[in-house]
Amino acid sequence: MSGSPDPVPAMSSSTDQPRAALRVRDVIALMVGVVVGVGIFRTPSLVAANADSGAFVMIVWLVGGIVSLAGALCYAELSATYPHAGGDYHYLSRAFGPRLSFLFAWARLSVLQTGSIAILGFVFGDYATQVLPMGPYSPALYAAGAVVLLTAVNVAGVRHSMRAQRLLTLLEIAGVLLVVFAGLVIAMPATAQDAIPRLPSASALGLMMVFVLLTYGGWNEAAYVSAEVREPRRNMARALVGGIAIVTVLYVLINLAYLRALGVHGMADSQAVAADVLDRAFGASGAWMVTLLVVVATLTSANATMITGARTAYALGRDVPLLSFLGHWHGPTGTPINALIVQGAVALALVAMGGATRRGFETMVEYTAPVFWSFFFLTGLSLFVLRRREAAMVRPFRVPLYPLTPLVFCATCAYLFYASLAYTGFGALVGLMVVGSGMVVLLVASPRPALVDRSPRAVDHPGSPS
């Protein structure tokens, strides 16, 4: 799936810059690992509770795949044209300037990535505690241990982290396929299946799409390793589209398995749909299978989140003198070591906080969702801005059906931003306030203006302050 090195180098050969070491399969493993996390074992019951129809359950999961594909096509053009370790941060900087991109990087460091790592650590801790409890603070201890271990693996080098990612992703997919096999083949089918779709209310549809697209979320993380991909101008589109196709197939199959084994009302009433399906298929041993599956899924997602999150912090350090210590790339290991350590420290602080004041899955959705969809919308908008401003730029991949495809993506992001505010609670405001606090830091940090070569054949230097 890999090719020869790009004849037009996308990066410096200097050892303190990202190197083109990743293949398409590495990017797909990273992308699938981020997306197929614990959400697919929790959100289907929430979707079913609002759908009230098995057919509509399948419709919204298919729509989620189509919307994600539209977004992936937008990112394929951006990442193929501007391969850069900063991903969205770099696109926002080129389109809207350094101040907005600084706020995005601040949000990644304070809300999005570190919050996701901490929550994944707690989910891992909750399940690991069922196997081997370590006292009243057992989940927090396991969470902290996972953060430290995975940070160490990533600091050790990109080869180690990607080997771990490929292995964990294969185990994760095997676990999902086990649930699919159990639900479609072994478990007795549920009775009274409802195959007639009934249109839900606007609020129910909004909640369903929030949860569905949350579960699909994370495919954009592939953009953060575009500066480390062999032949990024050709391979980024292949990786993004291929990854979305794999995720959509897995999600459709596992929801079919849930529906066959439990029915739409059984899904809605279930607190752990995968556990209930495996229990019907294998009996009591199904609980151990689910525990192992969730542990693997959380570690897979957490490891991938660490890989991509540190790349944004690295890009931020290259652009902001006050944070320049984050912009160090360690040549021998091929990793942004300082960014990884700071990211791990922030995640550990959130774990410590969560050990005292535990908050549920829904609260974390409230905390992150408005921030996530607002910047997602702006990244989609940056495609229009850069198409107009840098019309002469060579674009190895162009979004099909432009401008319809990015319009669909931007409209979906705008709606999800509204829905995440309208149908959630106080946590959404807290997340926005934390991002707003970045304005204070911005007054002191003074990011450099973007210095960008906009010539038609320009290829970004991934470590440059652009």
Side-chain angles (χ1 to χ4, degrees):
M1 298 179 70
S2 63
S4 59
D6 195 335
V8 182
M11 56 198 66
S12 168
S13 61
S14 173
T15 58
D16 66 347
Q17 307 292 340
R19 298 191 302 269
L22 303 183
R23 303 178 182 183
V24 172
R25 66 187 183 189
D26 295 319
V27 183
I28 290 177
L30 178 74
M31 181 176 168
V32 174
V34 171
V35 176
V36 185
V38 294
I40 195 58
F41 309 121
R42 301 188 67 175
T43 57
S45 60
L46 301 171
V47 172
N50 288 280
D52 198 33
S53 166
F56 209 87
V57 167
M58 298 311 303
I59 289 171
V60 294
W61 284 102
L62 282 170
V63 169
I66 293 170
V67 170
S68 298
L69 177 60
L73 291 171
C74 296
Y75 271 73
E77 176 171 328
L78 290 167
S79 59
T81 307
Y82 312 107
H84 194 279
D88 301 63
Y89 171 82
H90 182 61
Y91 316 144
L92 292 171
S93 181
R94 292 185 80 111
F96 304 113
R99 290 176 176 80
L100 181 63
S101 60
F102 173 88
L103 286 179
F104 170 76
W106 175 262
R108 294 260 301 177
L109 192 60
S110 61
V111 176
L112 298 175
Q113 299 301 97
T114 48
S116 296
I117 292 167
I119 286 299
L120 288 166
F122 271 116
V123 174
F124 166 73
D126 288 337
Y127 278 86
T129 296
Q130 296 178 15
V131 178
L132 182 63
M134 295 193 297
Y137 296 102
S138 180
L141 292 173
Y142 274 115
V147 170
V148 171
L149 174 64
L150 292 177
T151 299
V153 169
N154 279 274
V155 166
V158 68
R159 292 182 183 273
H160 298 289
S161 60
M162 293 311 297
R163 282 197 194 105
Q165 189 61 33
R166 286 197 297 269
L167 175 61
L168 289 169
T169 300
L170 287 173
L171 291 173
E172 183 180 52
I173 292 175
V176 170
L177 292 177
L178 174 64
V179 177
V180 170
F181 180 74
L184 295 180
V185 179
I186 299 179
M188 292 294 293
T191 58
Q193 298 283 346
D194 183 358
I196 302 174
R198 292 193 293 270
L199 191 65
S201 66
S203 61
L205 179 62
L207 279 173
M208 279 191 292
M209 291 310 298
V210 166
F211 284 116
V212 166
L213 289 173
L214 169 77
T215 311
Y216 272 101
W219 50 262
N220 61 303
E221 298 297 304
Y224 293 92
V225 294
S226 60
E228 301 165 68
V229 176
R230 300 177 184 179
E231 296 188 73
R233 297 185 166 206
R234 178 169 66 95
N235 287 334
M236 282 307 300
R238 294 171 61 196
L240 281 160
V241 174
I244 284 294
I246 291 172
V247 170
T248 302
V249 169
L250 289 175
Y251 280 5
V252 168
L253 286 176
I254 200 168
N255 275 278
L256 280 173
Y258 291 154
L259 282 171
R260 181 183 179 276
L262 304 175
V264 65
H265 300 300
M267 286 179 65
D269 294 336
S270 175
Q271 297 299 312
V273 283
D276 289 344
V277 169
L278 291 179
D279 182 67
R280 283 175 176 259
F282 302 111
S285 60
W288 282 89
M289 294 181 187
V290 171
T291 297
L292 179 60
L293 177 57
V294 172
V295 165
V296 170
T298 53
L299 292 178
T300 305
S301 295
N303 185 64
T305 303
M306 285 186 176
I307 292 172
T308 58
R311 269 63 181 174
T312 310
Y314 160 79
L316 180 66
R318 301 293 295 190
D319 288 356
V320 180
L322 183 66
L323 304 175
S324 60
F325 66 94
L326 295 174
H328 172 68
W329 194 275
H330 191 245
T333 61
T335 57
I337 287 183
N338 292 349
L340 283 164
I341 292 173
V342 170
Q343 176 181 258
V346 175
L348 280 175
L350 294 176
V351 167
M353 223 187 328
T357 57
R358 297 288 299 277
R359 307 188 73 177
F361 179 74
E362 290 81 1
T363 302
M364 184 48 58
V365 173
E366 293 176 1
Y367 181 66
T368 58
V371 179
F372 177 80
W373 290 113
S374 61
F375 282 110
F376 231 19
F377 170 78
L378 290 170
T379 302
L381 195 61
S382 72
L383 179 62
F384 292 101
V385 174
L386 293 173
R387 275 269 190 128
R388 176 182 55 81
R389 181 182 297 164
E390 303 180 12
M393 182 71 70
V394 174
R395 298 180 184 277
F397 178 85
R398 287 178 173 267
V399 176
L401 302 178
Y402 181 90
L404 179 61
T405 301
L407 280 174
V408 169
F409 176 62
C410 288
T412 303
C413 292
Y415 172 73
L416 267 295
F417 173 72
Y418 162 76
S420 63
L421 289 175
Y423 307 130
T424 56
F426 181 69
L429 296 177
V430 175
L432 292 174
M433 288 172 60
V434 171
V435 175
S437 68
M439 295 292 293
V440 179
V441 181
L442 183 60
L443 294 175
V444 181
S446 300
R448 303 184 187 99
L451 303 176
V452 178
D453 180 2
R454 303 190 189 278
S455 60
R457 293 184 177 275
V459 177
D460 288 303
H461 191 297
S464 65
S466 55

